[in-house]
Amino acid sequence: MTSIDTRVRTRARTPRMSRRTRERVGYVPYLLPGLVAFTLVILIPFAMNIYYSLFRWKGGNAPMRWYGLGNYTDLLNDSQFWTSFQNSVAMIVAMVVVPTFVGLLLAAVLFDFLGKRFGPRLASVLRATYYLPQILPVAVAGVLWNWILNAQTGAVNVLLRDLGVDNPPNWLGSTTTALPSVMLVLIWIQIGYPVVIFMSALQRVDPELYEAAELDGAGWWRRFRAITIPQIKPETFVITLTCTVAALKVFGPIYVLTRGGPEGSTLVPSYYSYLNFFDKSKVGYGAAIANVLTVLIVLVAVVITTLQSRSARREEEAR
């Protein structure tokens, strides 16, 4: 009894956090680790990058010469810089537009046709097959496609020669075919991501909506347009946002396949920043390119998020 009384008295003397104090603190302790990691991994390097972009510096022990906004004004007259951003539009087509539309169509076929006729197991196997390029290392994918598209010994050109084509294209070595070839590879890599997201989205759509529309005589296309697409809008916004950001900062496939060539036909901002950082030893200029790309990505993310919020608000008002 003595030990129990001692515990009770100790607890009574120990000051407890009031409810108001707990409400003020809220989730701050849980957010602190993420905030610290965000500061160390993103904010501090980004601030250092801004600082470096104000200098002319070759890196290492070389002297840093103040240049102010000169690196940014030089970008305005840099034709390769503008070419890299033009190529980013092609990357968006290859990683956002085409995979989103094709992925939605494949997900609908897997879910509505194959899944219902042959069972969900076949649909799951095919979904995993489409997603396989996403988990494949970029270096492995690059070696694979370099072998397939090689001008001399590549599988595509060997097949074309067997079919009677005397001079098949140099897919990755010509200014006319390099960019479309890289876009094809990016579509192949990216296609599985929207398939997986859209298939999970289709599973949450109420099947009674489809049954009611089918009883009213609506065909598959009308059901798809009037029910499926409006119901999966949140997932569509997520895919659009994440894939657009990935397209703007794409680096690995360009580095492995073409190194930005030939003649800058596949150059993108992230690889152009890398070239200036390391190959040309123009650290300040490379930092300026990276900062411009970062600002562009943030603006695109804000625009897409704003559009998503407005769309959700309209749907709530309509209800």
Side-chain angles (χ1 to χ4, degrees):
M1 292 295 293
T2 305
S3 60
I4 295 176
D5 293 340
T6 303
R7 291 177 186 175
V8 172
R9 289 172 185 173
T10 304
R11 289 180 182 177
R13 279 194 233 104
T14 304
R16 291 187 178 181
M17 186 181 294
S18 64
R19 183 176 181 181
R20 183 175 297 178
T21 305
R22 288 199 301 270
E23 290 178 353
R24 287 179 181 176
V25 173
Y27 296 100
V28 172
Y30 303 98
L31 298 176
L32 278 177
L35 181 61
V36 171
F38 179 78
T39 303
L40 293 176
V41 176
I42 296 179
L43 287 184
I44 293 178
F46 183 59
M48 294 174 63
N49 209 52
I50 294 175
Y51 175 74
Y52 292 147
S53 70
L54 303 177
F55 292 85
R56 277 185 169 178
W57 183 37
K58 293 184 178 180
N61 296 324
M64 297 178 67
R65 298 177 181 178
W66 175 259
Y67 198 41
L69 298 177
N71 286 318
Y72 295 96
T73 56
D74 291 344
L75 288 177
L76 300 176
N77 300 318
D78 189 348
S79 59
Q80 284 191 313
F81 172 75
W82 294 110
T83 299
S84 68
F85 273 97
Q86 290 175 4
N87 291 337
S88 290
V89 177
M91 300 299 108
I92 291 175
V93 172
M95 297 183 68
V96 183
V97 180
V98 175
T100 300
F101 283 102
V102 177
L104 178 57
L105 180 61
L106 288 174
V109 171
L110 291 176
F111 184 80
D112 289 334
F113 180 72
L114 295 178
K116 293 179 179 178
R117 176 164 295 189
F118 300 101
R121 183 172 298 179
L122 176 62
S124 298
V125 171
L126 292 175
R127 178 180 59 188
T129 304
Y130 287 126
Y131 193 74
L132 183 61
Q134 276 277 313
I135 62 176
L136 198 66
V138 175
V140 176
V143 170
L144 173 65
W145 280 99
N146 269 315
W147 171 73
I148 293 174
L149 300 175
N150 187 276
Q152 301 300 324
T153 61
V156 174
N157 282 1
V158 169
L159 179 61
L160 290 176
R161 290 191 187 96
D162 292 340
L163 294 175
V165 179
D166 294 330
N167 295 313
N170 185 357
W171 299 103
L172 296 175
S174 171
T175 55
T176 57
T177 58
L179 185 59
S181 299
V182 171
M183 292 174 65
L184 176 65
V185 175
L186 291 175
I187 291 171
W188 175 79
I189 292 174
Q190 195 71 13
I191 198 72
Y193 175 67
V195 170
V196 171
I197 300 297
F198 281 134
M199 282 197 70
S200 63
L202 292 173
Q203 291 175 359
R204 68 173 181 79
V205 179
D206 189 356
E208 293 182 357
L209 297 174
Y210 293 116
E211 294 174 1
E214 193 173 359
L215 290 175
D216 291 337
W220 182 88
W221 173 247
R222 289 191 63 185
R223 297 198 305 270
F224 180 77
R225 187 180 59 183
I227 298 175
T228 303
I229 294 179
Q231 290 290 319
I232 62 173
K233 271 186 179 180
E235 288 79 6
T236 305
F237 276 112
V238 169
I239 291 172
T240 303
L241 175 59
T242 54
C243 291
T244 302
V245 172
L248 290 173
K249 64 184 185 68
V250 64
F251 175 84
I254 301 298
Y255 179 83
V256 173
L257 291 171
T258 62
R259 302 292 178 95
E263 299 179 14
S265 59
T266 60
L267 192 66
V268 292
S270 59
Y271 188 75
Y272 190 43
S273 176
Y274 168 84
L275 283 179
N276 282 278
F277 260 110
F278 299 102
D279 288 6
K280 300 180 181 180
S281 296
K282 298 169 65 175
V283 176
Y285 197 64
I289 298 170
N291 289 334
V292 172
L293 179 60
T294 301
V295 171
L296 177 62
I297 290 174
V298 171
L299 289 176
V300 169
V302 169
V303 170
I304 295 177
T305 305
T306 303
L307 292 175
Q308 181 182 8
S309 301
R310 289 181 180 177
S311 176
R313 197 178 305 120
R314 287 196 210 101
E315 290 181 358
E316 290 179 359
E317 292 174 356
R319 292 174 186 173

